[in-house]
Amino acid sequence: SPAGRFLAQNPTPLSINFVHHSQLGGLGQSSAEFLAAWGAHQIENPSSDNDIHDMLATFGSCTDNLITRPSGMDVATQYLGLCTVYDGRQYQSLAWPFESLMLGLWHTGHKIATHTHLQAQHTIPQTLSTLAQQALSAIIHNDEQAFLTCIHAYRQALQHAHFEAPTTTTYLKHLMC
């Protein structure tokens, strides 16, 4: 794991215990492990560089032997918090503007390594990028209805491109009964 590789290169006297409440994996567990290891190192070495770009460069060096390297966006999101946006140059954290909406994640029991999954797809429909930009605009402008419209359209586009996992389809059918 990236955390294991980091700790092998940067031993720390601090005790780090990774507890997995689920044996399913996913939902940012390996990212959280890496951030815990990196954070412990920062406590022991306060003069170390600790901005997001340095952290992501370190994360990248701990994943460079993987066939498909992860983007690090999940690590960046956990590091920065809130709703994290990256425009190719800089990261920005936005507060969740919708008081009547809550975001929930649940495990379907079907783990997909996003970076591997995306690389296997030959083309990502432009519709997904466009809808993501529209959803971001809705967040920035606190337009709840536009955001919900984007989320619904995004799911439809995922289904149309056959990108939605069958387990997700099943869960959503039960959820929306």
Side-chain angles (χ1 to χ4, degrees), residues 19-160:
V19 177
H20 296 271
H21 298 285
S22 165
Q23 299 303 315
L24 299 174
L27 298 179
Q29 288 179 19
S30 63
S31 299
E33 290 174 356
F34 172 79
L35 285 171
W38 184 80
H41 179 72
Q42 294 302 312
I43 290 169
E44 291 295 312
N45 301 284
S47 63
S48 296
D49 292 331
N50 64 358
D51 77 355
I52 188 162
H53 298 286
D54 294 323
M55 182 273 298
L56 287 172
T58 302
F59 176 74
S61 72
C62 294
T63 61
D64 61 6
N65 65 338
L66 299 177
I67 294 170
T68 304
R69 291 181 64 188
S71 70
M73 195 61 203
D74 55 340
V75 177
T77 299
Q78 288 185 42
Y79 178 79
L80 294 171
L82 302 174
C83 181
T84 302
V85 179
Y86 179 63
D87 67 5
R89 293 181 315 275
Q90 65 182 13
Y91 291 88
Q92 181 181 10
S93 291
L94 305 172
W96 184 250
F98 309 123
E99 291 182 22
S100 65
L101 296 180
M102 293 178 14
L103 178 66
L105 301 176
W106 71 95
H107 222 302
T108 64
H110 183 88
K111 179 171 173 20
I112 296 176
T114 306
H115 53 283
T116 305
H117 177 69
L118 290 174
Q119 189 174 33
Q121 305 302 327
H122 297 290
T123 58
I124 304 295
Q126 180 60 40
T127 305
L128 295 176
S129 294
T130 301
L131 288 168
Q133 288 298 320
Q134 289 172 356
L136 175 59
S137 177
I139 290 171
I140 291 168
H141 294 100
N142 196 11
D143 188 340
E144 185 176 306
Q145 189 55 51
F147 179 77
L148 291 172
T149 299
C150 289
I151 295 300
H152 179 73
Y154 198 92
R155 177 171 184 232
Q156 288 179 326
L158 286 174
Q159 289 176 311
H160 181 73

